[in-house]
Amino acid sequence: MGYFESFLFEILIGLLYSENREYAIKKIDIWLDRKQYLTVISRACFAKSDISEIYLSRVLSTSFKIKNIAALINSNHASLKHYSLNEKLYKHIFLTSINYLSQLSNSSWVMRVKYLSEGNLRKILDTISIKNIEAVFDNLLFLDTINYECHEAIKILSEYSPEQTLIYFRKRILKQSHTKIIGTYEAIPYPNRATDDSSHPLNDNLDLVISTVFEWIKDDRKRFGCHISMLLFYISPKFTPELEIELEKQIHSGDIIICSEILYLLSNYDGDIAIHNLCKTMIVVFHENEEKTSEIQNVLSSTPVLNGEYGYASALEQKITLISNWLNDSNPIIQSFASSYIESVKRHAISEKRNVDESLSLRKHLYGDNDHEKK
C-alpha cells in the first residue's frame, strides 16, 4: 500500500460525511467489484452503521473469496457493534463470519470483543441454537493459548451452555495430545494468581463439571489425567465449599485414580486451610495406603512464593500451628496422622533453619557483615 493509500480509510470516512458522499459510495461499489481495499471498506462499515447495512454482507462474502482475514474480522466486529439496529441481518453476518474464519483456521475476532461489543455478543447468544454456540467454541480451538480476551469470551459462552464449554476443553486437550511440537498448543491456561477469579460460570455447575471430567479419566487416563486438575483449578482458582462437597463425593467412591487427580488439584492451593477438611476425608479413606498419606502430607506442606532467608522455615512452623488442633480430633486416624505429620514438619523446619544459618554464616565469613549492602 502506497503513501496515499495508507490514509484511504480516513479519506473515505471524510467523504462519506461530506457533500461528496455519493462519490464515495460509487468508489466503494467499484472497489468491491474489483475486490480491492476490502479492509478499508470493512473498517468503514464498522465506523458507519448506514454503510454497514448496505455493504457488510457483500464485504463479508468477497473477503472470504480472497481470504482477506483482516476484513473478515472487521466484518465480525461490525456485526456485533451494529447488532441492535438490524438483529436478523447482523446475527447472520456474525455467524457466517465465524464459519468463514474457522475455514481459514483463525480465531482472532475474539481479541477485541471484551472491549467492543460484549453486550451485543450476549444478545446474539440469547437467540442462537446450541449448534451455533458449538460452532463459536470450535472456532476458538484455533487459538494456541487461552489469553485474557479468550478467557472472557469463554466465560460468556459458558453461561449459555456449560456442557458445550466442557466439550470445548475436551477437544483442546485432545488437540494438544495430537500436536507434534511440544509447547505450541496450551489446552488449559494456568490462572494468574494476581487476577484469581472464582466467578467463572462453571462454578455454578460443579456437579456437572466434576462428574464429566472424571469420566474422561476413566475413559482415557493417559490423555486426560494430567489435564483434569489444571482444568478444575482454572475454573476454581479459589477453593470453595461447593467444590469441596463435589470432590468429597468422588473421594468416598474409593477410586484410586480419581483420588490421585484430586490430590494433584489440591497441590495447587498451597496448603490453604480451606482444603484441610477434604484432606481429612482422604486421610480416613486412605490411612492404610502409605503412598497416598505421603502425598497428602506433601499437599498440606506446599506453600506460596516466600520472602526472606527464613521464609520457608517460618511457613513450616505455621503449618504446624494450623495442624496442631488435629491432635484433638475425635477420629484417632486423624490424631495419628497429625502427630506423625507435625513431627516430620518440625524436623524439616529445624533442618531448614540450620541450613539457612550455615549459609548466612558462610556469606558473612566470605563477604563481611554488610554483604547485603554490597549487593
Side-chain angles (χ1 to χ4, degrees), residues 124-256:
I124 290 176
L125 294 175
D126 280 334
T127 64
I128 66 176
S129 65
I130 293 297
K131 184 177 180 180
N132 283 325
I133 289 178
E134 182 182 9
V136 177
F137 268 126
D138 283 346
N139 173 267
L140 297 178
L141 289 170
F142 294 108
L143 288 172
D144 285 346
T145 59
I146 297 177
N147 55 20
Y148 172 75
E149 291 80 6
C150 184
H151 166 68
E152 291 298 314
I154 290 171
K155 284 172 62 178
I156 295 171
L157 289 162
S158 299
E159 296 173 14
Y160 295 88
S161 181
E163 294 86 356
Q164 285 299 325
T165 309
L166 293 172
I167 291 171
Y168 168 69
F169 281 115
R170 190 178 193 278
K171 289 178 178 178
R172 287 192 69 88
I173 292 169
L174 291 173
K175 184 173 181 178
Q176 180 172 332
S177 70
H178 290 117
T179 301
K180 294 181 179 179
I181 304 175
I182 302 298
T184 59
Y185 194 85
E186 179 187 70
I188 313 294
Y190 192 85
N192 182 345
R193 291 191 177 278
T195 57
D196 275 357
D197 179 10
S198 293
S199 64
H200 198 293
L202 287 178
N203 279 292
D204 296 329
N205 295 276
L206 284 175
D207 54 342
L208 171 69
V209 172
I210 298 298
S211 61
T212 300
V213 298
F214 285 134
E215 281 300 317
W216 298 350
I217 293 181
K218 292 177 182 177
D219 292 340
D220 192 342
R221 188 185 184 191
K222 183 177 180 181
R223 285 185 178 173
F224 293 104
C226 62
H227 295 286
I228 297 306
S229 61
M230 291 179 63
L231 176 57
L232 293 176
F233 188 53
Y234 166 71
I235 294 167
S236 300
K238 293 180 181 178
F239 195 82
T240 63
E242 294 78 15
L243 179 60
E244 180 182 337
I245 290 170
E246 295 304 323
L247 292 176
E248 189 168 12
K249 295 176 186 176
Q250 298 293 328
I251 291 171
H252 284 302
S253 72
D255 189 310
I256 195 72

Side-chain angles (χ1 to χ4, degrees), residues 287-321:
H287 66 278
E288 295 181 349
N289 186 322
E290 187 176 340
E291 180 182 352
K292 282 289 168 280
T293 54
S294 177
E295 290 177 14
I296 295 168
Q297 286 189 0
N298 291 335
V299 166
L300 290 168
S301 298
S302 62
T303 62
V305 176
L306 302 167
N307 295 318
E309 290 90 345
Y310 292 98
Y312 185 47
S314 297
L316 290 174
E317 291 174 348
Q318 291 174 15
K319 299 287 184 184
I320 294 171
T321 302

Side-chain angles (χ1 to χ4, degrees), residues 51 77 118 125 154 208 224 276-277 280 294:
I51 298 301
H77 291 164
E118 179 181 336
L125 294 175
I154 290 171
L208 171 69
F224 293 104
H276 280 197
N277 285 337
K280 282 185 176 182
S294 177

Side-chain angles (χ1 to χ4, degrees), residues 312-347:
Y312 185 47
S314 297
L316 290 174
E317 291 174 348
Q318 291 174 15
K319 299 287 184 184
I320 294 171
T321 302
L322 290 173
I323 296 294
S324 59
N325 65 343
W326 290 21
L327 295 170
N328 301 319
D329 194 276
S330 58
N331 191 325
I333 294 174
I334 300 299
Q335 293 178 15
S336 176
F337 175 90
S339 177
S340 174
Y341 175 80
I342 289 171
E343 287 303 313
S344 175
V345 175
K346 278 182 178 178
R347 291 194 298 270

